[in-house]
Amino acid sequence: MPAPSDAASDRSGLRSMQAFARRFADWAAGTEGSSRPSALIRIGLAMLFWSRWAGELLLYMDQSPAGLFLAANFFVATTLLFVGYHSRAAAVWTGAVGLAMYHYFGIELGREPWTHHHTYLLAVAALLIALTPCDRSYSLDRYLAVMRAERAGLPPPAERGNLWGLRLIVVQLSVLYFFAAFDKSNYAFLSGARIEQIFLWFYAGSDYPAGLAWPATMVSVAVVALEYCLALGLPFRATRRYLVLPGLAFHAIIYLTLPVYTFSATMALLYLAYFDADAVSKVLTRLQGTGSTATAKGEIS
């Protein structure tokens, strides 16, 4: 029989877990807002899938049954995602194709470039965008819904929905940044040795430049510090304002200097998930010239 103090401790721990679960559920599911940022991410993800893999999946590239089956699924799913027809189902389909490319064709069949983290991120982002109202703006789904409303003599459906999928994208990005920094929190990286190795491999060849050690160490420490800050600071408005530009600059630099494929563009696109969806919608309304800030509220209500 457990001691009274142990039982009280267990009950306290259970209550704490339940309270945390309730807070997480409220945080994830208790937010409603404009569907426009979700729709932009949906369109961007389809374009990134094409940018990364379309050239490798043209029908003449791999004419095996598995290759043709993969190509057919890839192009149909991503096209539906781009135009926004049955958008959420298309997002799940696209994400499933991405995971199949990562796990089966990449890891199991040995297509090494398909095993990189940017492959996994694209697939997961497509699955998470399916949990948003990405079908309610900038889509064929939206057009058809408006047409049905007009025929029925009803107002257009609201461009709004529950945004918990965007919250999960924020969690995914924070996890990615945190463990990217954690993996680098060792002497091999912080000493600058890894940066020196990368520089020699891509730029200097076998000739070791004089004076590289200290700059390499400083860059290494700065990268790890920035990634920890992005992981812990971007989700919060008070610190986000100071981190968005450094984060985007960081991804631009690694895109220009290293073969990271679509990773930088994917991260920049997913930064939309950090911002208030209604605020993004107001900016889009101004850009489109369809009304003032006050009008924007009415259009998305």
Side-chain angles (χ1 to χ4, degrees), residues 172-285:
Q172 174 64 62
L173 295 182
S174 289
V175 169
L176 187 152
Y177 276 131
F178 180 83
F179 282 101
F182 183 78
D183 284 344
K184 297 181 182 76
S185 299
N186 53 64
Y187 179 78
F189 190 89
L190 293 174
S191 66
R194 179 60 177 153
I195 293 291
E196 292 178 22
Q197 181 185 26
I198 293 171
F199 182 82
L200 292 171
W201 178 264
F202 288 107
Y203 294 99
S206 59
D207 298 327
Y208 188 90
L212 180 61
W214 277 108
T217 301
M218 293 173 63
V219 169
S220 300
V221 173
V223 166
V224 173
L226 178 60
E227 287 181 333
Y228 275 125
C229 289
L230 294 172
L232 302 175
L234 275 176
F236 305 103
R237 182 178 300 178
T239 49
R240 183 187 308 132
R241 66 180 66 184
Y242 305 108
L243 293 171
V244 168
L245 290 181
L248 293 174
F250 171 64
H251 287 295
I253 290 169
I254 62 174
Y255 176 78
L256 292 172
T257 57
L258 297 171
V260 295
Y261 298 98
T262 54
F263 175 66
S264 290
T266 303
M267 295 296 290
L269 174 68
L270 296 181
Y271 268 36
L272 276 172
Y274 285 115
F275 296 97
D276 179 77
D278 288 338
V280 174
S281 181
K282 293 173 188 176
V283 172
L284 293 171
T285 298

Side-chain angles (χ1 to χ4, degrees), residues 49-218:
F49 267 84
W50 291 338
S51 177
R52 176 61 188 89
W53 289 296
E56 299 179 48
L57 292 175
L58 297 172
L59 297 182
Y60 60 83
M61 297 295 291
D62 182 357
Q63 299 182 38
S64 68
L68 293 174
F69 182 74
L70 173 62
N73 277 271
F74 176 88
F75 285 110
V76 173
T78 54
T79 299
L80 293 176
L81 186 67
F82 180 74
V83 301
Y85 185 62
H86 294 292
S87 303
R88 293 190 176 192
V92 173
W93 191 359
T94 300
V97 170
L99 288 181
M101 294 170 69
Y102 176 81
H103 286 289
Y104 180 70
F105 290 90
I107 295 175
E108 293 295 327
L109 299 186
R111 296 191 185 183
E112 190 274 334
W114 292 10
T115 65
H116 294 179
H117 63 280
H118 69 269
T119 310
Y120 179 80
L121 179 62
L122 272 175
V124 169
L127 293 175
L128 293 179
I129 208 65
L131 304 176
T132 71
C134 64
D135 56 330
R136 298 184 185 179
S137 296
Y138 307 135
S139 64
L140 183 56
D141 292 330
R142 169 71 179 174
Y143 177 79
L144 295 174
V146 170
M147 294 293 290
R148 287 193 295 269
E150 289 180 351
R151 286 196 297 269
L154 300 173
E159 294 184 78
R160 295 184 73 79
N162 194 294
L163 302 177
W164 76 293
L166 294 184
R167 297 292 184 90
L168 296 180
I169 289 176
V170 168
V171 172
Q172 174 64 62
L173 295 182
S174 289
V175 169
L176 187 152
Y177 276 131
F178 180 83
F179 282 101
F182 183 78
D183 284 344
K184 297 181 182 76
S185 299
N186 53 64
Y187 179 78
F189 190 89
L190 293 174
S191 66
R194 179 60 177 153
I195 293 291
E196 292 178 22
Q197 181 185 26
I198 293 171
F199 182 82
L200 292 171
W201 178 264
F202 288 107
Y203 294 99
S206 59
D207 298 327
Y208 188 90
L212 180 61
W214 277 108
T217 301
M218 293 173 63

